[in-house]
Amino acid sequence: YSKRKPAYTSSVSTKSIILAFIFVIIFVVFIILWFSALFSEPKTPATADEVWAAIEEQGYKPEDITDRYYKNDSDAFLSLVKCIAFKENDIEFQFFEFNNTNSAIDIYGQAYHNIRITHNSWQKMETSYENKNYSLYFLDSHGKYNVSIFVENTAVYAYCDSENKYEINQILDKIDYLTSGNN
């Protein structure tokens, strides 16, 4: 009688093995993500001239609207260096260059929040990348395509009808803001 093992011993060890396996998998995933963030290349911010050229290359007419921001926001001159934009049909694109990263993050956050509140739904295609010096957010929902990006001291806010997202993406690709990491 004393040599009998309780029936639950086998079951407890199986549960322990499964829990240990899950813990190891989570730990490995965490380490991989940590190392990829630690050793990944930061993006190089585009210049206003590069953005201007990329917009023109797509056949649009960019404008320097920096003065409009200076007139509408008395504090804009403290951090805004340049704002390049165009609006044609349903496509609107704005590129901001600041003298600091925090202002770019603020614009990104405002645009991201506006996009999430206004256009988010269960029927969506949502993509985001975050890393050392950038965040990229794309939302295609209810026939509208929205973009919010910051790379170091620059930010982009753009939107259009979903059928024209290729136009925005071409500009972003030219300035290397479309995908994660530097290509």
Side-chain angles (χ1 to χ4, degrees), residues 51-80:
V51 173
W52 189 281
I55 291 171
E56 284 184 329
E57 194 172 315
Q58 285 305 112
Y60 298 107
K61 295 180 182 169
E63 291 181 66
D64 181 345
I65 63 169
T66 310
D67 286 338
R68 289 186 206 165
Y69 277 95
Y70 289 164
K71 289 176 186 174
N72 292 331
D73 182 358
S74 60
D75 292 334
F77 73 93
L78 295 172
S79 61
L80 182 62

Side-chain angles (χ1 to χ4, degrees), residues 11-170:
S11 158
V12 169
S13 67
T14 302
K15 287 179 184 177
S16 297
I17 290 171
I18 290 172
L19 287 174
F21 181 72
I22 290 171
F23 176 75
V24 167
I25 293 295
I26 291 171
F27 181 74
V28 168
V29 168
F30 174 76
I31 294 297
I32 290 170
L33 291 174
W34 183 73
F35 271 106
S36 69
L38 186 64
F39 295 109
S40 64
E41 265 189 57
K43 277 191 162 299
T44 303
T47 66
D49 291 338
E50 291 170 333
V51 173
W52 189 281
I55 291 171
E56 284 184 329
E57 194 172 315
Q58 285 305 112
Y60 298 107
K61 295 180 182 169
E63 291 181 66
D64 181 345
I65 63 169
T66 310
D67 286 338
R68 289 186 206 165
Y69 277 95
Y70 289 164
K71 289 176 186 174
N72 292 331
D73 182 358
S74 60
D75 292 334
F77 73 93
L78 295 172
S79 61
L80 182 62
V81 174
K82 185 77 80 175
C83 183
I84 305 297
F86 77 90
K87 184 174 185 175
E88 189 170 310
N89 300 323
D90 65 302
I91 303 171
E92 186 160 336
F93 184 96
Q94 295 182 6
F95 171 84
F96 302 88
E97 182 181 349
F98 296 97
N99 62 12
N100 65 75
T101 300
N102 289 338
S103 294
I105 291 171
D106 287 346
I107 289 292
Y108 165 81
Q110 290 170 18
Y112 174 85
H113 180 73
N114 183 41
I115 292 167
R116 299 278 306 194
I117 296 294
T118 308
H119 300 287
N120 202 3
S121 78
W122 66 274
Q123 287 183 312
K124 63 184 175 188
M125 287 181 48
E126 187 175 35
T127 307
S128 64
Y129 305 102
E130 290 186 22
N131 220 317
K132 290 180 180 179
N133 71 333
Y134 66 88
S135 285
L136 315 175
Y137 179 71
F138 307 91
L139 178 67
D140 195 342
S141 176
H142 289 295
K144 299 291 181 188
Y145 182 66
N146 298 269
V147 175
S148 180
I149 297 173
F150 93 85
V151 177
E152 252 177 60
N153 64 320
T154 66
V156 172
Y157 177 52
Y159 57 90
C160 64
D161 291 342
S162 294
E163 64 213 26
N164 294 321
K165 68 182 175 184
Y166 178 76
E167 300 295 320
I168 289 175
N169 288 346
Q170 285 292 99

